Amino acid sequence: MSEQDETLQIFFAESEDLLRSAEDSLLRLEQNPGPGQDVEELFRAIHTLKSGSAMVGFSIISDYSHLLESLLERVRSGQLPISKPLITFLLTDVDFLRQMVDRGGRGEQEAAPEVIKSRKAQLNRFLGMTAIPSEEAAPEPPKPRPKTTPAEKPPAEKPAAETDRWRFYQVELRFRPDIFNSGQDPVLLILGLAELMELVDVVPDLGHLPNYEAMDPYSLYISWRLTLKGTASAEEIEDVFLFVRDDNDIRIEDVTARYKEGVDLAVAERPLGEVLLERGAITKEDLEEALGQQKRLGEILVSTGKIEPSVLEHVVTQQEESRRTYRKTSVRVDVDKITHLVNLAEEINISLSRLRDMVGKELALAFDSELVQELENLTKVNREFQERVSQVRMFPLEGTFRRFQRIARDTAFEQGKRVSVGLSGMDTELDKEVIEHITDPLKHLVRNCVDHGLESPADREAAGKSPEGKIEFRAFQKGGQIMVQIADDGRGLDLEKIARRAVEMGLIEQGTPVDSQNVLSIICAPGFSTAGQVTSLSGRGVGMDVVKTEVERLGGSMHVETAPGKGTTFTLALPLTFALMEALHVQSRGRSFLIPLWGVTGTEAYRPEEARFFGHRERVYRFRGEYVPVVDIAGVFGVTQEPDADPRVIVFLDTARQRFGLMVERVLDPHQVVVKSLETNFKSVRGVSGATIMGDGSLSLVVDLFALEELFFQAPQRSDA
């Protein structure tokens, strides 16, 4: 990979993080408008994107980010109040920047000129505003300012009423060294600016001037930074550079927010040396020499006898150690590389297990157990390595929840509804691959909550509710699973309407009650919809079936709770990770199975007196004071081979939906395994989530508890248990 390609990859990865950070800041600002950390984070994200895009050559993104930065500077200074119209505009701007980055990644022009012009016009309307009269009102464009002709230079002083119309611009001019060959003269361009506006400040940068002997009289070595004052617009300033803008680095920034009564307020906050250096009054060497002559605080305290030198040295050492500890580095790693490391660790584990079996007891005694001890140490180290690598795949759900917050906000805005979004458990971590698979299903659930669940403000008020609906995103860990909940306080599911539609579609028989036990299977049926008309959000009967299918494909489950007039809660139970699984190793009828430990509640030797039969195939077993259905695990998968021995062992399971038991012939030690997909390497097998290779080289099937539950409770058993 070339250095340029690597730089681009870093830019695209960082830009996604920056835009997501900007979006999150805006959503928080909408809930708590006002200056503070969120505004600063938003400003930093756009500023960093501007610099990064300029570095990799995406000048359109950089220029637009520069204008957006000017707008945010007005927000930071309190000149532009934070309102819903402004938040909406800035969110669409973040989307626009993301689209430009995506287009740049595909090798296309970031945006068409007419699109950029339209976006800049909207942005400039906000730049020209000092206040927004109401949250519902759209931003009004500023009144046109009188255009200053070249013959009319702004007078030196104007009354206070007129100074309010003055704008200040900072213009940075960095021309190509060979600009003279194109027939253009930078000095004439600066004089053209002087005819348009007043030149408040002209600072040349002479830092690139070569020695006299090496100087080329036909090359340009000087760049400028100008401060302009007048009534012209940014577009009029751009027109001065019409013929040189594309080939040279020309940046125009509206800095009016920095000026009060014609005075640059930013100068007051900056060190004297920095201001002098920027204006070219001193060189960098002059500044460093002057600063070197100044004494530091510690030196002053020592020289005046306030503290001992040893005390100063001790404190400084502590500070340096603290700073070194605080600074952390991060490395971006492709998920496929991490998965490959997990697979390699699993291969090592298999080899160690086989080696341990090959050594045997007799050889182990000959080596006085030292060889066995070393093998155990290697196995322990390798297991920890697997766990550490798997932790790298884990990501907090905060970013995912923030995206859903944006989706809920935009959907409500489109429908004229009001919504507030609550987030909890955002630091809960989930495997990145799991997050990627559930993102689209959860998006659909969020839109459903807003579209079908929440009422309009008028309907909510009529029902005695707050006009603003509430949606809660929650995440928490339960056993070996992550529970993700999406809850709303809307109208709830209309069970009667769902029942009528289910009867029409032949999903249930007339008179069958619909409740929280069976409503999910109905609304997730392909083609099911109660919407009266097709809209951009609903009515086609596609979506909920895809949600359920995708969640179950991950080895998860979904259930719903609803109450009329109070709202609906969807709960998704998801596997913690794809990389590693803690599983109980069992054998039955010559077959080897792995049962996820998160669902195991206990094991017990089979006692016939505790069993009760219903017909020839169905039985229940008394476990901890209650009867639960049990089934032969091998029989479920159609293994007809006779059992090896009696008595059997029962493994009791709880999937949060059902409790049942699996009859097996042997229970072996628990294992931490890497699950390989059967669908990728062979074909999909119902009731099996994957397979793994055991230490003796044999293949063991990993049981999908939710699919097994459906096979057990919904399908007839394929052989006697």
Side-chain angles (χ1 to χ4, degrees), residues 500-568:
R500 290 195 299 270
R501 180 60 179 156
V503 171
E504 293 173 3
M505 295 180 63
L507 299 176
I508 60 174
E509 296 181 358
Q510 185 73 38
T512 302
V514 175
D515 53 27
S516 57
Q517 299 298 318
N518 62 353
V519 67
L520 185 65
S521 60
I522 294 175
I523 63 177
C524 290
F528 183 86
S529 175
T530 58
Q533 58 183 3
V534 175
T535 68
S536 60
L537 293 176
S538 61
R540 300 186 184 276
V542 204
M544 288 303 297
D545 60 324
V546 177
V547 175
K548 185 171 183 290
T549 300
E550 187 63 32
V551 170
E552 292 180 347
R553 193 172 75 83
L554 292 173
S557 66
M558 182 171 68
H559 69 273
V560 61
E561 296 177 3
T562 186
K566 294 184 178 180
T568 304

Coordinates of all heavy atoms in Angstrom, one line a residue, residues 500-568:
R500 N -57.9 -8.8 13.5 CA -58.8 -8.8 12.3 C -57.9 -9.1 11.0 O -58.3 -9.8 10.1 CB -59.5 -7.5 12.2 CG -60.6 -7.4 13.2 CD -61.6 -6.3 12.8 NE -60.9 -5.0 12.8 CZ -60.8 -4.1 13.8 NH1 -61.3 -4.4 15.0 NH2 -60.1 -3.0 13.6
R501 N -56.8 -8.3 11.0 CA -55.9 -8.5 9.8 C -55.3 -9.9 9.7 O -55.2 -10.4 8.6 CB -54.8 -7.4 9.9 CG -53.8 -7.4 8.7 CD -54.5 -7.2 7.4 NE -53.6 -7.2 6.3 CZ -53.9 -7.5 5.1 NH1 -55.2 -7.8 4.7 NH2 -53.0 -7.4 4.1
A502 N -55.0 -10.5 10.9 CA -54.4 -11.8 10.9 C -55.4 -12.8 10.4 O -55.0 -13.8 9.7 CB -53.9 -12.1 12.3
V503 N -56.6 -12.6 10.8 CA -57.7 -13.6 10.3 C -57.8 -13.4 8.8 O -58.0 -14.4 8.1 CB -59.0 -13.3 11.0 CG1 -60.2 -14.1 10.4 CG2 -58.9 -13.6 12.5
E504 N -57.8 -12.2 8.3 CA -58.0 -12.0 6.8 C -56.8 -12.6 6.1 O -57.0 -13.2 5.0 CB -57.9 -10.5 6.5 CG -59.2 -9.7 7.1 CD -59.0 -8.2 6.9 OE1 -58.0 -7.8 6.3 OE2 -59.9 -7.5 7.3
M505 N -55.6 -12.6 6.7 CA -54.5 -13.2 6.0 C -54.3 -14.7 6.3 O -53.4 -15.4 5.7 CB -53.2 -12.5 6.4 CG -53.1 -11.1 6.1 SD -51.6 -10.3 6.6 CE -50.3 -11.2 5.7
G506 N -55.2 -15.3 7.1 CA -55.2 -16.7 7.4 C -54.1 -17.1 8.3 O -53.7 -18.3 8.4
L507 N -53.6 -16.1 9.1 CA -52.5 -16.4 10.1 C -53.1 -17.1 11.3 O -52.4 -17.9 12.0 CB -51.8 -15.1 10.5 CG -51.0 -14.4 9.3 CD1 -50.4 -13.1 9.8 CD2 -50.0 -15.3 8.7
I508 N -54.3 -16.7 11.7 CA -55.0 -17.3 12.9 C -56.4 -17.6 12.5 O -56.9 -17.1 11.5 CB -54.9 -16.4 14.1 CG1 -55.6 -15.1 13.8 CG2 -53.5 -16.2 14.6 CD1 -55.7 -14.2 15.1
E509 N -57.1 -18.4 13.3 CA -58.5 -18.7 13.1 C -59.4 -17.7 13.8 O -58.9 -17.0 14.7 CB -58.8 -20.1 13.6 CG -58.1 -21.2 12.9 CD -58.5 -22.6 13.4 OE1 -59.3 -22.6 14.4 OE2 -58.0 -23.6 12.8
Q510 N -60.6 -17.5 13.3 CA -61.5 -16.6 13.8 C -61.8 -16.9 15.3 O -62.0 -18.1 15.7 CB -62.9 -16.6 13.1 CG -63.9 -15.6 13.5 CD -63.5 -14.2 13.1 OE1 -63.0 -14.0 12.0 NE2 -63.7 -13.2 13.9
G511 N -61.7 -15.9 16.2 CA -61.9 -16.1 17.6 C -60.7 -16.4 18.4 O -60.7 -16.4 19.6
T512 N -59.5 -16.6 17.7 CA -58.3 -16.8 18.5 C -57.8 -15.5 19.1 O -57.7 -14.5 18.4 CB -57.2 -17.3 17.5 OG1 -57.6 -18.5 16.9 CG2 -55.9 -17.6 18.3
P513 N -57.6 -15.5 20.4 CA -57.2 -14.2 21.0 C -55.8 -13.9 20.7 O -54.9 -14.7 20.5 CB -57.3 -14.5 22.5 CG -57.1 -16.0 22.6 CD -57.7 -16.6 21.4
V514 N -55.5 -12.6 20.5 CA -54.2 -12.1 20.3 C -53.7 -11.3 21.5 O -54.4 -10.4 22.0 CB -54.2 -11.1 19.1 CG1 -52.8 -10.5 18.9 CG2 -54.6 -11.9 17.8
D515 N -52.6 -11.8 22.1 CA -52.0 -11.2 23.3 C -50.5 -11.1 23.1 O -49.9 -11.3 22.0 CB -52.4 -11.9 24.5 CG -52.1 -13.4 24.4 OD1 -51.1 -13.8 23.6 OD2 -52.7 -14.3 25.0
S516 N -49.8 -10.7 24.2 CA -48.4 -10.5 24.1 C -47.6 -11.8 23.9 O -46.4 -11.8 23.5 CB -47.9 -9.9 25.5 OG -48.2 -10.8 26.6
Q517 N -48.3 -13.0 24.0 CA -47.7 -14.2 23.7 C -47.5 -14.5 22.2 O -46.5 -15.2 21.8 CB -48.4 -15.4 24.4 CG -48.5 -15.2 25.9 CD -47.2 -15.3 26.6 OE1 -46.3 -16.1 26.2 NE2 -46.9 -14.4 27.6
N518 N -48.5 -14.1 21.5 CA -48.5 -14.5 20.0 C -48.5 -13.3 19.1 O -48.4 -13.5 17.9 CB -49.7 -15.4 19.7 CG -51.0 -14.7 19.9 OD1 -51.1 -13.6 20.5 ND2 -52.1 -15.4 19.5
V519 N -48.6 -12.1 19.6 CA -48.7 -10.9 18.8 C -47.4 -10.7 17.9 O -47.4 -10.3 16.8 CB -49.0 -9.6 19.6 CG1 -47.8 -9.3 20.5 CG2 -49.3 -8.5 18.6
L520 N -46.2 -11.1 18.5 CA -45.0 -10.9 17.8 C -44.9 -11.8 16.6 O -44.5 -11.3 15.5 CB -43.8 -11.2 18.8 CG -42.4 -10.9 18.2 CD1 -42.2 -9.4 17.9 CD2 -41.3 -11.3 19.1
S521 N -45.3 -13.0 16.7 CA -45.2 -13.9 15.6 C -46.2 -13.5 14.5 O -45.9 -13.7 13.3 CB -45.6 -15.4 16.0 OG -46.9 -15.4 16.6
I522 N -47.3 -12.8 14.8 CA -48.2 -12.3 13.8 C -47.6 -11.1 13.1 O -47.6 -11.0 11.9 CB -49.6 -11.9 14.5 CG1 -50.2 -13.2 15.1 CG2 -50.5 -11.2 13.5 CD1 -51.5 -12.9 15.8
I523 N -47.2 -10.0 13.9 CA -46.7 -8.8 13.2 C -45.4 -9.0 12.5 O -45.0 -8.2 11.6 CB -46.6 -7.7 14.2 CG1 -45.5 -8.0 15.3 CG2 -47.9 -7.3 14.9 CD1 -45.2 -6.8 16.2
C524 N -44.7 -10.2 12.8 CA -43.5 -10.5 12.1 C -43.7 -11.4 10.9 O -42.7 -11.9 10.3 CB -42.4 -11.1 13.0 SG -41.8 -9.9 14.2
A525 N -44.9 -11.8 10.6 CA -45.2 -12.6 9.5 C -45.0 -11.8 8.2 O -45.3 -10.7 8.1 CB -46.7 -13.1 9.6
P526 N -44.4 -12.5 7.2 CA -44.1 -11.8 5.9 C -45.4 -11.2 5.3 O -46.4 -11.9 5.2 CB -43.5 -12.9 5.0 CG -43.0 -13.9 6.0 CD -43.9 -13.9 7.2
G527 N -45.3 -9.9 4.9 CA -46.4 -9.3 4.3 C -47.5 -8.7 5.2 O -48.4 -8.1 4.8
F528 N -47.3 -8.9 6.5 CA -48.3 -8.4 7.5 C -48.2 -6.9 7.7 O -47.1 -6.3 7.9 CB -48.2 -9.1 8.8 CG -49.2 -8.7 9.8 CD1 -50.4 -9.3 9.8 CD2 -49.0 -7.6 10.7 CE1 -51.4 -8.9 10.7 CE2 -50.0 -7.2 11.6 CZ -51.2 -7.9 11.6
S529 N -49.3 -6.2 7.6 CA -49.3 -4.7 7.8 C -50.8 -4.3 8.1 O -51.7 -4.8 7.5 CB -48.8 -3.9 6.6 OG -49.0 -2.6 6.8
T530 N -50.9 -3.4 9.1 CA -52.3 -2.9 9.4 C -52.4 -1.5 8.8 O -53.5 -0.8 9.0 CB -52.5 -2.9 10.9 OG1 -51.5 -2.0 11.5 CG2 -52.4 -4.3 11.5
A531 N -51.4 -0.9 8.1 CA -51.5 0.4 7.6 C -52.5 0.5 6.5 O -52.7 -0.4 5.6 CB -50.1 0.9 7.0
G532 N -53.3 1.6 6.5 CA -54.4 1.8 5.5 C -53.8 2.1 4.2 O -54.5 1.9 3.1
Q533 N -52.7 2.8 4.1 CA -52.1 3.2 2.8 C -50.6 3.1 2.9 O -50.0 3.1 4.0 CB -52.5 4.6 2.5 CG -52.1 5.7 3.5 CD -52.6 7.0 3.2 OE1 -53.3 7.2 2.2 NE2 -52.2 8.0 4.0
V534 N -50.0 3.0 1.8 CA -48.6 2.8 1.7 C -47.9 4.2 1.8 O -48.3 5.1 1.1 CB -48.2 2.1 0.3 CG1 -46.6 2.1 0.2 CG2 -48.7 0.7 0.3
T535 N -47.0 4.3 2.7 CA -46.2 5.6 2.8 C -44.7 5.3 2.6 O -44.3 4.1 2.4 CB -46.4 6.2 4.2 OG1 -45.9 5.4 5.2 CG2 -47.9 6.4 4.4
S536 N -43.9 6.3 2.8 CA -42.5 6.1 2.7 C -41.9 5.3 3.9 O -40.8 4.7 3.8 CB -41.7 7.4 2.6 OG -42.0 8.2 3.8
L537 N -42.8 5.2 4.9 CA -42.3 4.5 6.1 C -43.0 3.2 6.4 O -42.4 2.3 7.0 CB -42.5 5.4 7.4 CG -41.7 6.6 7.5 CD1 -42.1 7.5 8.7 CD2 -40.2 6.3 7.5
S538 N -44.2 3.0 5.9 CA -44.9 1.8 6.3 C -46.0 1.5 5.2 O -46.2 2.2 4.3 CB -45.6 1.9 7.6 OG -46.5 3.0 7.6
G539 N -46.6 0.3 5.4 CA -47.7 -0.1 4.6 C -47.4 -1.2 3.6 O -48.4 -1.8 3.0
R540 N -46.2 -1.6 3.4 CA -45.8 -2.6 2.4 C -45.7 -4.0 3.0 O -45.5 -5.0 2.3 CB -44.5 -2.2 1.6 CG -44.6 -0.9 0.9 CD -43.4 -0.6 0.1 NE -43.4 0.7 -0.5 CZ -44.0 0.9 -1.7 NH1 -44.7 0.0 -2.3 NH2 -44.0 2.2 -2.2
G541 N -45.8 -4.1 4.3 CA -45.7 -5.4 5.0 C -44.3 -5.9 5.0 O -44.1 -7.1 5.0
V542 N -43.3 -5.1 4.8 CA -41.9 -5.5 4.8 C -41.2 -4.9 6.0 O -41.4 -3.7 6.2 CB -41.2 -5.1 3.5 CG1 -40.0 -6.1 3.3 CG2 -42.1 -5.1 2.3
G543 N -40.5 -5.6 6.7 CA -39.7 -4.9 7.8 C -39.7 -5.8 9.0 O -38.6 -6.3 9.4
M544 N -40.8 -6.0 9.7 CA -40.8 -6.7 11.0 C -40.3 -8.1 10.8 O -39.7 -8.7 11.7 CB -42.1 -6.6 11.6 CG -42.5 -5.3 12.2 SD -41.3 -4.6 13.4 CE -41.4 -5.9 14.7
D545 N -40.7 -8.8 9.7 CA -40.3 -10.1 9.5 C -38.7 -10.2 9.3 O -38.1 -11.1 9.7 CB -41.0 -10.7 8.3 CG -40.7 -10.0 7.0 OD1 -40.6 -8.7 7.1 OD2 -40.6 -10.6 5.9
V546 N -38.2 -9.1 8.6 CA -36.8 -9.0 8.4 C -36.1 -8.8 9.7 O -35.0 -9.4 10.0 CB -36.4 -7.9 7.4 CG1 -34.9 -7.8 7.3 CG2 -37.1 -8.2 6.1
V547 N -36.7 -8.0 10.6 CA -36.1 -7.7 11.9 C -36.0 -9.1 12.7 O -34.9 -9.4 13.2 CB -37.0 -6.8 12.7 CG1 -36.4 -6.6 14.1 CG2 -37.0 -5.4 12.0
K548 N -37.0 -9.8 12.8 CA -37.0 -11.1 13.5 C -36.1 -12.1 12.9 O -35.3 -12.7 13.7 CB -38.5 -11.7 13.6 CG -38.6 -12.9 14.4 CD -40.1 -13.3 14.5 CE -40.3 -14.5 15.5 NZ -39.8 -15.7 14.8
T549 N -36.1 -12.2 11.6 CA -35.2 -13.1 10.9 C -33.7 -12.8 11.2 O -32.9 -13.7 11.5 CB -35.4 -13.1 9.4 OG1 -36.8 -13.5 9.2 CG2 -34.5 -14.1 8.7
E550 N -33.4 -11.5 11.1 CA -32.0 -11.1 11.3 C -31.5 -11.3 12.8 O -30.4 -11.8 13.0 CB -31.8 -9.6 11.0 CG -30.3 -9.2 11.0 CD -29.5 -9.9 9.9 OE1 -30.0 -10.3 8.9 OE2 -28.3 -10.1 10.2
V551 N -32.4 -11.0 13.7 CA -32.1 -11.2 15.1 C -31.9 -12.7 15.4 O -30.9 -13.1 16.1 CB -33.2 -10.6 16.0 CG1 -32.9 -11.0 17.5 CG2 -33.2 -9.1 15.9
E552 N -32.7 -13.5 14.9 CA -32.6 -15.0 15.2 C -31.4 -15.6 14.5 O -30.8 -16.5 14.9 CB -33.9 -15.7 14.8 CG -35.1 -15.3 15.7 CD -36.3 -16.0 15.4 OE1 -36.4 -16.6 14.3 OE2 -37.3 -16.0 16.2
R553 N -31.1 -15.0 13.3 CA -29.9 -15.5 12.6 C -28.6 -15.2 13.4 O -27.6 -16.0 13.3 CB -29.8 -14.8 11.2 CG -28.8 -15.4 10.3 CD -28.9 -14.8 8.9 NE -28.3 -13.5 8.9 CZ -27.0 -13.3 8.7 NH1 -26.2 -14.3 8.6 NH2 -26.5 -12.1 8.7
L554 N -28.7 -14.2 14.2 CA -27.5 -13.9 15.1 C -27.5 -14.8 16.3 O -26.5 -14.8 17.1 CB -27.6 -12.5 15.6 CG -27.4 -11.4 14.5 CD1 -27.7 -10.0 15.1 CD2 -26.0 -11.4 14.0
G555 N -28.5 -15.6 16.5 CA -28.6 -16.5 17.7 C -29.3 -15.7 18.8 O -29.2 -16.1 20.0
G556 N -30.1 -14.7 18.5 CA -30.8 -13.9 19.5 C -32.3 -14.1 19.4 O -32.8 -15.0 18.6
S557 N -33.0 -13.4 20.2 CA -34.5 -13.5 20.2 C -35.1 -12.2 20.4 O -34.4 -11.2 20.8 CB -34.9 -14.5 21.3 OG -34.6 -13.9 22.6
M558 N -36.4 -12.1 20.2 CA -37.1 -10.8 20.3 C -38.4 -11.1 20.9 O -39.1 -12.0 20.6 CB -37.2 -10.1 19.0 CG -37.9 -8.8 19.0 SD -37.8 -7.9 17.4 CE -38.8 -8.9 16.4
H559 N -38.9 -10.2 21.8 CA -40.2 -10.3 22.3 C -40.8 -8.8 22.6 O -40.0 -7.9 22.6 CB -40.3 -11.1 23.6 CG -39.7 -10.6 24.8 ND1 -38.4 -10.7 25.1 CD2 -40.2 -9.8 25.8 CE1 -38.1 -10.1 26.2 NE2 -39.2 -9.5 26.7
V560 N -42.1 -8.7 22.7 CA -42.7 -7.4 22.8 C -43.7 -7.4 23.9 O -44.3 -8.4 24.3 CB -43.4 -7.1 21.4 CG1 -44.5 -8.1 21.2 CG2 -44.0 -5.7 21.4
E561 N -43.8 -6.2 24.6 CA -44.8 -6.0 25.6 C -45.5 -4.7 25.2 O -44.9 -3.7 24.8 CB -44.1 -5.8 27.0 CG -43.4 -7.0 27.5 CD -42.7 -6.8 28.8 OE1 -42.8 -5.7 29.3 OE2 -42.0 -7.7 29.3
T562 N -46.8 -4.7 25.3 CA -47.6 -3.6 24.9 C -48.8 -3.4 25.9 O -49.3 -4.4 26.4 CB -48.1 -3.7 23.5 OG1 -48.7 -2.5 23.0 CG2 -49.0 -4.9 23.3
A563 N -49.2 -2.1 26.0 CA -50.4 -1.8 26.8 C -51.1 -0.7 26.1 O -50.5 0.3 25.8 CB -49.9 -1.4 28.2
P564 N -52.4 -0.8 25.9 CA -53.2 0.2 25.2 C -53.1 1.6 25.9 O -53.3 1.7 27.1 CB -54.6 -0.3 25.2 CG -54.5 -1.8 25.4 CD -53.2 -2.0 26.3
G565 N -52.7 2.6 25.1 CA -52.6 3.9 25.6 C -51.3 4.2 26.4 O -51.1 5.4 26.8
K566 N -50.5 3.2 26.7 CA -49.3 3.4 27.5 C -48.0 3.2 26.7 O -47.0 3.8 27.1 CB -49.4 2.5 28.7 CG -50.5 2.8 29.7 CD -50.4 1.9 30.9 CE -51.5 2.3 31.9 NZ -51.5 1.4 33.1
G567 N -48.1 2.4 25.7 CA -46.9 2.3 24.9 C -46.5 0.8 24.6 O -47.2 -0.1 25.0
T568 N -45.4 0.7 23.9 CA -44.9 -0.6 23.5 C -43.4 -0.7 23.8 O -42.6 0.3 23.6 CB -45.1 -0.9 22.0 OG1 -46.5 -0.7 21.8 CG2 -44.7 -2.3 21.6

